[in-house]
Amino acid sequence: MQPANLPTIFSVTEDEIDLNDLLAKITLTSTGAAAIFTGMVRGETSRGDAHVTDYLEYEAYIPMAEEKMKQVADEIRAKWPIVEGIAVVQRIGRLYPKTPTTLIACTAAHRDTGVFDAARYGIDRLKEIVPIWKKEIGPDGSEWVEGDYIPKPGE
Amino acid sequence: MQPANLPTIFSVTEDEIDLNDLLAKITLTSTGAAAIFTGMVRGETSRGDAHVTDYLEYEAYIPMAEEKMKQVADEIRAKWPIVEGIAVVQRIGRLYPKTPTTLIACTAAHRDTGVFDAARYGIDRLKEIVPIWKKEIGPDGSEWVEGDYIPKPGE
Amino acid sequence: MNHIKLLFFATIRDRAGVKSIEMDIPAEMTIHELKEKLVGEYPALKESLHSVLMTINREYAFDEAVVPNNAEIALFPPVSGG
Amino acid sequence: MNHIKLLFFATIRDRAGVKSIEMDIPAEMTIHELKEKLVGEYPALKESLHSVLMTINREYAFDEAVVPNNAEIALFPPVSGG
């Protein structure tokens, strides 16, 4: 069912996220569909406390982050065995509004296989268990963005 | 609620689909999330009649296709008013396995806004009402791929 | 008489053997009547008629619609892009 | 005694004022006991303790876990990547 050579990319990087390149790397001859999520730095946020952001500073516990990205990919494959290629990428460092900061992409033979749900699950899990943090720098100073998920034993 | 200047891209093209460029064009200062779908040419299909594909030949009724892509974007905005930018692209001509042939991308402030559903709706509608056809060329000859959707009055 | 331009795509073009033609048709002709006229001229279209889609000026059109003067009419099978 | 390496990230690093330290701890010390020891040495960590996450060798670890020799321990707030 699942050939051992299905491409799985997971990376924490300071480089620009290249969607074309990542998509090509997770496209197999049997692939007909890709669902891709990217997160970008918002320069203006209106939900909740409306505010303006000059830039975000991302940091990661890199070796653990890459292990947990691999775990997110493994969880996706367990839930959606039809998924072919997976890419999980987080850019770190100082990132300005409109810049893509993260990418989760899943490929499959067809679009009605759960491949959209798989990508959605991937970004949700990244924001729960992958050790990355961001500090928001705006006109009124800087503040760490606090997550709220407490991992459970075994996660 | 919806500024008049929300970016909407719709295009039938013979050029390579550049995801980085399209994403940048539909990212606003208020954008924090993008859901992107791409379709690729499958070189090997296992669902249904398993077969091998050498390449696909796409053709379009271009002016109507672009009008219907605009309509798909309008439908998305009516159903998901939170969507900020929309790109609907179809590449035509002779396209080989692993090549992206179509892209639907929607951006929004946050990922939990229906932006994934909006992109999914977009590709489903493109395959229903946008006048594009493909002929499959394989080792056993060539065959038009037949759709099965009959548009209703007003679509 | 009304003057119209006809465009054929995909399987319909292959069967008709032409990409586009211009013709004059009676005023007040409906899509249904135009379809019958075309099958008379291109008998190979007959077996496509149950599923052919037709458009008038780039909007889907149905049997009872009346074809206006200078219309751009297209005939094609259900779409299969993506 | 066990030798361990401690890493601090984000708000926890800001509060502790250090990025990483190495220390010796008694064998069989639990994560809970290590947390109490750290609060003794870095009182500013006290107000973060209700939400601090801890890991042993890059896996999430909980109060009752015993810290092995040569462990890489990390302390950080709930994650906020993406």
Side-chain angles (χ1 to χ4, degrees), chain D:
Chain D
M1 297 295 274
N2 281 340
H3 184 77
I4 61 169
K5 181 171 185 184
L6 282 156
L7 305 172
F8 301 90
F9 293 96
T11 45
I12 306 297
R13 182 196 53 235
D14 285 359
R15 292 215 169 103
V18 289
K19 264 177 101 151
S20 76
I21 50 173
E22 305 207 9
M23 60 165 65
D24 290 321
I25 58 170
E28 303 300 312
M29 184 175 247
T30 66
I31 282 286
H32 180 75
E33 290 161 349
L34 175 59
K35 234 189 255 184
E36 294 196 322
K37 175 179 163 65
L38 288 169
V39 171
E41 296 178 27
Y42 302 95
L45 290 185
K46 198 173 166 75
E47 61 174 300
S48 297
L49 276 195
H50 64 286
S51 69
V52 72
L53 304 181
M54 291 184 67
T55 61
I56 299 176
N57 296 330
R58 304 167 191 173
E59 290 293 346
Y60 289 107
F62 300 85
D63 279 356
E64 56 289 356
V66 173
V67 180
N69 192 23
N70 295 316
E72 178 177 291
I73 305 291
L75 284 86
F76 50 75
V79 308
S80 61

Side-chain angles (χ1 to χ4, degrees), chain A residues 3-147:
Chain A
N5 57 350
L6 291 177
T8 304
I9 295 168
F10 38 93
S11 133
V12 176
T13 177
E14 300 202 4
D15 298 336
E16 255 183 59
I17 296 178
D18 183 336
L19 281 75
N20 297 322
D21 177 58
L22 289 162
L23 179 60
K25 285 183 171 146
I26 59 168
T27 298
L28 309 184
T29 304
S30 52
T31 298
I36 305 166
F37 174 85
T38 63
M40 275 79 73
V41 179
R42 272 190 310 280
E44 291 166 20
T45 298
S46 55
R47 184 190 278 185
D49 266 352
H51 64 278
V52 167
T53 303
D54 292 332
Y55 60 88
L56 298 178
E57 280 279 355
Y58 282 80
E59 73 171 74
Y61 177 14
I62 294 178
M64 179 170 167
E66 293 188 339
E67 286 176 22
K68 289 292 154 187
M69 287 173 161
K70 167 78 165 59
Q71 178 181 323
V72 170
D74 290 344
E75 290 178 11
I76 288 173
R77 292 197 189 285
K79 284 174 184 282
W80 291 278
I82 52 73
V83 166
E84 296 183 339
I86 301 175
V88 183
V89 179
Q90 173 77 47
R91 189 172 175 190
I92 58 172
R94 179 177 297 195
L95 297 173
Y96 289 89
K98 302 175 84 169
T99 308
T101 57
T102 191
L103 173 142
I104 311 281
C106 296
T107 58
H110 303 273
R111 76 188 187 288
D112 60 357
T113 50
V115 68
F116 281 85
D117 298 330
R120 175 71 197 267
Y121 178 85
I123 181 61
D124 288 349
R125 286 297 275 164
L126 180 132
K127 286 170 174 266
E128 287 178 348
I129 65 167
V130 179
I132 302 162
W133 306 271
K134 60 190 168 205
K135 186 157 55 170
E136 198 163 341
I137 291 84
D140 302 326
S142 74
E143 192 173 11
W144 286 99
V145 180
E146 289 271 336

Side-chain angles (χ1 to χ4, degrees), chain B residues 58-59 61 63-64 67-68 90 101-102 126-134 144-147 151-153 155, chain C residues 7-11 13-14 50-51 53 55 57-60 62 64 72-74 76-82:
Chain B
Y58 281 81
E59 75 171 72
Y61 177 13
M64 178 171 168
E67 286 177 23
K68 288 293 154 188
Q90 173 77 47
T101 58
T102 191
L126 179 132
K127 285 169 175 263
E128 287 179 348
I129 65 167
V130 179
I132 302 161
W133 306 271
K134 61 192 169 205
W144 285 99
V145 179
E146 290 272 336
K152 294 177 285 295
E155 275 193 307
Chain C
L7 306 172
F8 302 89
F9 293 96
T11 46
R13 183 196 54 236
D14 285 359
H50 64 286
S51 67
L53 303 182
T55 61
N57 297 331
R58 304 168 191 174
E59 289 293 347
Y60 289 106
F62 300 86
E64 56 289 356
E72 178 177 292
I73 305 291
F76 49 75
V79 309
S80 61

